[in-house]
Amino acid sequence: MAELITVEDPDDPRLGDYSGLTDVALRRCREPAEGLFMAEGEKVIRRAVRAGYGMRSMLLSAKWLEVMGDVIAQTPAPVYLVSPEVAERVTGYHVHRGALASMRRAPLPSPDTLLTHARGGVVTGSVDDHTHPGATSTSGPHTRERRIAIFEDIVDHANLGAAFRNAAALGVDAVLLTPRCVDPLYRRAVKVSMGAVFAVPYARFESWPRDADVVRKHGFVLAALSPSARSVTLDEFADRHYEKLALMLGTEGEGLSAEALRVADNHVRIPMDAGLDSLNVAASSAVAFYATRPRSG
Ligand SMILES: C[S@@+](CC[C@H](N)C(=O)[O-])C[C@H]1O[C@@H](n2cnc3c(N)ncnc32)[C@H](O)[C@@H]1O
């Protein structure tokens, strides 16, 4: 059972995890360095806990005590009770969802480890050392088609969160991020994903696109999503039914780098109408994940 501590001073050092949440630059450095991330709102906090992330503390206004009662009963982490005014003074914004939790990051598996533990069956399994919360079990049929997504240099947290949500909802088995891709555990990404960043196992390449070799070594066909007229259409591509497919999506604005396009085995386009040349990256991911979903029969 968590200890309930009423705090009235916004400068109380025990609330340090929650200070300056609106300072994106500060939080982007601080959170990975200190091994924490923020979960905001009842659903997201529950999903983080269910995914196996440890809790450092919670910050609640009184009316959330009852709603979060079962979570409080199960956690040894302190729960700081504050007024909405104190919460706002500490965080820098009005905490609409009334509940924040500071969660512990876990070490990420390497891309090789992530894909190794896919074991020719499903990729939703955990790695042996359980270093990646969100991973569950490795059971499953060994013949099922598998898909992973590679997000190259996505710089907008909302886009990354939405793309993770699409991946979780549309059965993508794992996500690989290039080194410059933003942090999926940053508050905005977590919030937009509705906690889906906890549900899809992910890893980060050390070097990209050199590490595309790791993906190929595991038998994945690399498909670059690119609106270029030279690309094959998504309908035509989806009919090929690859057993192991890695769908690569590029950064906002520029799209996939020339190097990424070079290492891809296929270039695939979603045909565009109305004189528009491309979709937003998260929207494209939803279309591509859906079109390439495994089908029985
Ligand atoms: C905003 S778009 C970038 C547009 C950029 N001008 C380009 O040529 O790729 C971001 C990413 O979404 C995906 N995307 C957007 N529209 C697409 C389309 N019509 N077909 C295939 N992929 C698309 C691509 O992966 C792209 O890198």
Side-chain angles (χ1 to χ4, degrees), residues 224-228 231 248-256 268-272 277-282 284-285:
L225 268 293
S226 163
S228 159
S231 303
M248 299 157 60
L249 290 125
T251 188
E252 303 90 346
E254 296 291 300
L256 285 166
V268 182
R269 77 184 147 90
I270 302 161
M272 295 281 92
D277 59 2
S278 68
L279 288 171
N280 157 281
V281 61
S284 325
S285 74

Side-chain angles (χ1 to χ4, degrees), residues 81-145:
L81 278 177
V82 294
S83 66
E85 294 72 31
V86 169
E88 185 164 351
R89 287 273 304 280
V90 176
T91 60
Y93 71 104
H94 180 69
V95 185
H96 299 283
R97 288 185 163 79
L100 279 166
S102 173
M103 308 298 296
R104 244 174 253 118
R105 286 176 187 251
L108 287 181
S110 69
D112 189 43
T113 304
L114 189 72
L115 299 177
T116 298
H117 289 269
R119 283 189 294 180
V122 289
V123 189
T124 50
S126 62
V127 294
D128 279 350
D129 57 4
H130 298 287
T131 52
H132 187 77
T136 50
S137 97
T138 51
S139 64
H142 279 241
T143 52
R144 139 150 138 61
E145 288 172 31

